[in-house]
Amino acid sequence: MCGIAGFVASGSLDASAEASLAAMTQAIGHRGPDDAGAWLDRERGVALGHRRLAIIDLSPAGHQPMKSASGRYVIVYNGEIYNHTALRAQLEREGHAPDWIGRSDTEVLLACIEAWGLRGALAEANGMFAFALWDLRERELILARDRAGEKPLYYGRQGNAILFASELKAITAHPAFEAVVDRAAAAQFMQLGYVPAPLSIWKGINKLPPAHLLVIRPGDKTLAAPECYWDFARIAAAGAMDPTEDTPDLVDELDALLRDAVRLRMEADVPLGVFLSGGIDSSVITALMQAQASRPVKTFSIGFEERSFDESGFASGVAKHLGTDHHALRVTPAEVQAVLPELPRIWDEPFADSSQVPTYLVNARARKEVTVALSGDGGDELFAGYNRHVIGAQIWNKSERLPGVVRRGVGAALAAPVAGRFAHGLSRLTGLGSGVVNLTERLSKVGAVMGADDPADVYARLVSKWPHGGNPIIGGQNERAEIASGSFSDFRNAMLFMDTMTYLPDDILVKVDRAGMAVSLEGRIPFLDHRVIELSWRIPLSAKIKAGRGKHILREVLYRYVPQTLVDRPKAGFAIPIGDWLVGPLRPWVEDLLAPSKIKAQGFLDPLVVAATWSRFRRGESALLPKLWCLLMFQAWLSSSGQHPLRP
C-alpha cells in the first residue's frame, strides 16, 4: 500500500519540477512512511513520485518508481496484486520472466505488462491498485484504477500541467493548482454525503472511475475520455438475466471462492489482522481467515457506552467461538471530539458518512498491533444487506398500487416533522421501536418511498440526505441519481447495481482507504475480489433475499463456522451515538461551525436552511441528523481550507 503523485508538463521540466514533486509526495507521506522515490524525464516533461508502505518484500528491491526489465516502462503503483505469485510462475512457464530482482508484486506487474500488454496484464491481475505507467517508447502516461475502486486516483489539468495523485492534498500541493470550488460537486455532496465520481470538490480535478484507464500524451490540448477495461454493467446485466440455479451447491461454491479470496489477502511480510464487528460480513471473513491460519488471528472491534449503538459484545462472542486474539476499543465522546478537527485533513474533500469516525479510531487502534487488516466491506452491496434492498422494495411494490395522490399524501405525512416527533415519543413511552437505530430517520425514508413517482425516484430518495428537496447549497440543484433500471427486470437488482457503481466506491471505499492510510494501515477487502463480484451476480435474488432478510446465502456460509445464535440479529450498521453528542459535549463545535455570520460570509450555504436544521434538531427531530452531519462536514472542510471565502 502506498501513495503516488506526479505530473506531465506541456514542455520540458524547469528547475522547480523536483521541488514541486517533492511537495506532492510529502503531502501524502502517511500513505507510505517506509520509503520515498522520484523519477523525472525532464526533456519530455514527466515527473513520477512515490511513497511506500512496505508489505511484500520489505527490501530495497521493492523501491519505486520502478523501471521494467527492458527499460521501456516506469511505474509508480499503489496497492497489491494478490495473485502475483501465480503470475510470476506463469511468466516463468511461458518464458517471459525477466531476471528477477526481488519478490515484490510491482516487479511482477511490470513483467506482465511487458509480456502481455497493459490490457492483458489488467485482465490477469487480481488485486486493488491505482498506478501511473510511463511508456518511454510510445511517450504516453497511462493511469489505471482497480475494478472495484478500492484505491483512489485523482487527475486534472491545472495551468500547463496535468496533475495526478492518490489524494487531493498532493494535487493541492503543486504550485499550478488553483483552488476553485465546484459548486455542482458541493450540491451533489450535500445530496449524497459524498462527492460522486467523476467529480471532486475542486473544479478541473476528477476521479478516475473504477475499472478504467486513461492515456495521457504530453502536449495534448484536451484529455481523452477514460477507457473501461472491465465492464461491470455487462457482467451484472448478464448475471441478473440468466442466474445460476439456487441449490446447496451454490453455497459450496461461494464458500470455496471466499475462502480463496481470503487466503490470497493473508499474504504479507508484516503483522496481519481483521476487523470484527460481530455482524454477518466481518464474521464470515474472520471465520475463513481463522480457518486458514496457523495461530489465533488478531481481531479488532469498537464499542460505545450507549447500549443501542454498542455491538462489541457480539464481536467478542464471535471472537471467543473462533478462538481469535481479540482487541476491543471503547470510544468516549472526548475521543471523538479530539479527532473531529482531523476529519477534513484525512478526507480532503467534504465527506459525511458519520461512521468515518469509528472507522478511523478502530484503524488507529489496530495499527498498534498490525500493518494489514482485512474487513467485511462490500458484502451489503453484493448480497443485498441494506434495508432498502428488502424493506424499501417491499414498500414500493405495495404502495405503487395506490392512486398517486393518495400515495404522495401518505408519504408527505410520514416525512413531516410531526411524524418523527410522534414516533420518538411513542418509542420512549411504550418501548416500541426501542431496538431500532434511527427510528425517526427510517420513518422519514418510508415517507420518501411512498411519495416517489417511479423506481428511479425511489432509489434517489432512499440514498438522498435531502429526499424532499431543499438542497442548502446556494445555486445547487437536487439532481436525481440515475438508475439503470432498464437493464434489470427486478428493482432490487437495479438498486444493488447502483450501490456497487456509486455508493460502494465513492462512500464505503473512500472511508476505508482514508481511515486506514491516515495511520499507515493497509486495508484488504476479500468480498471485492473480482471473482466474488462476478459470482455474486450469477447468484439469484432468491438466494440473497429469503424470509424478508437479505444476505441469505452469506448467512448459510457463516453458519458452517459460527452458531446462528451468535450472529442473527437486526442490522444496525457501524453507527455512533453522534446525535446525542452533538447536542451535548460537541455542541460548542457545532455552533462555531454553523455560526450565522460565518455561513453568510462564506457564501455557499443558505443561512436560513442551516439555522432551521440545527434548531429543529435541538428540539428532538433526530431524523435531521444526516442533513446536519452534511452541513457540519462541509463547514469543517471549508473552514480548514484556509481561504475565506473560496472562489465559487
Side-chain angles (χ1 to χ4, degrees), residues 181 201-202 344 349-350 593 598-599 601-605 631-647:
V181 173
I201 195 62
W202 299 117
E349 61 183 349
L593 289 176
K598 183 178 292 187
I599 298 293
Q602 290 166 336
F604 283 93
L605 295 173
L631 295 172
L632 291 170
M633 288 298 96
F634 183 80
Q635 282 299 104
W637 173 81
L638 200 59
S639 298
S640 74
S641 66
Q643 303 179 60
H644 305 290
L646 294 173
R647 187 152 63 86

Side-chain angles (χ1 to χ4, degrees), residues 263-287:
R263 176 189 64 81
L264 287 175
R265 285 155 182 79
M266 290 174 67
E267 181 185 353
D269 296 334
V270 292
L272 183 79
V274 60
F275 295 121
L276 175 63
S277 70
I280 301 297
D281 305 335
S282 65
S283 296
V284 166
I285 300 305
T286 303

Side-chain angles (χ1 to χ4, degrees), residues 536-556:
S536 76
W537 277 92
R538 297 196 302 272
I539 294 174
L541 280 170
S542 62
K544 295 178 182 178
I545 301 173
K546 194 167 291 188
R549 294 196 309 179
K551 296 194 285 198
H552 174 79
I553 191 169
L554 209 53
R555 296 171 192 271
E556 291 298 305

Side-chain angles (χ1 to χ4, degrees), residues 359-397:
T359 301
Y360 170 77
L361 290 171
V362 77
N363 271 267
R365 172 64 183 88
R367 187 62 177 90
K368 296 178 180 180
E369 305 281 340
V370 300
T371 310
V372 175
L374 277 64
S375 77
D377 295 289
D380 288 316
E381 291 79 9
L382 299 182
F383 298 98
Y386 294 129
N387 287 326
R388 59 177 168 265
H389 302 146
V390 182
I391 301 174
Q394 289 174 347
I395 294 170
W396 172 250
N397 289 337

Side-chain angles (χ1 to χ4, degrees), residues 226-286:
E227 172 192 336
C228 179
Y229 67 83
W230 182 73
D231 192 346
F232 172 66
R234 181 190 58 79
I235 291 166
M241 185 178 298
D242 187 23
T244 303
E245 186 179 355
D246 185 0
T247 68
D249 292 342
L250 201 51
V251 180
D252 295 335
E253 185 179 0
L254 179 59
D255 187 353
L257 184 53
L258 282 174
R259 178 180 284 256
D260 190 59
V262 169
R263 176 189 64 81
L264 287 175
R265 285 155 182 79
M266 290 174 67
E267 181 185 353
D269 296 334
V270 292
L272 183 79
V274 60
F275 295 121
L276 175 63
S277 70
I280 301 297
D281 305 335
S282 65
S283 296
V284 166
I285 300 305
T286 303

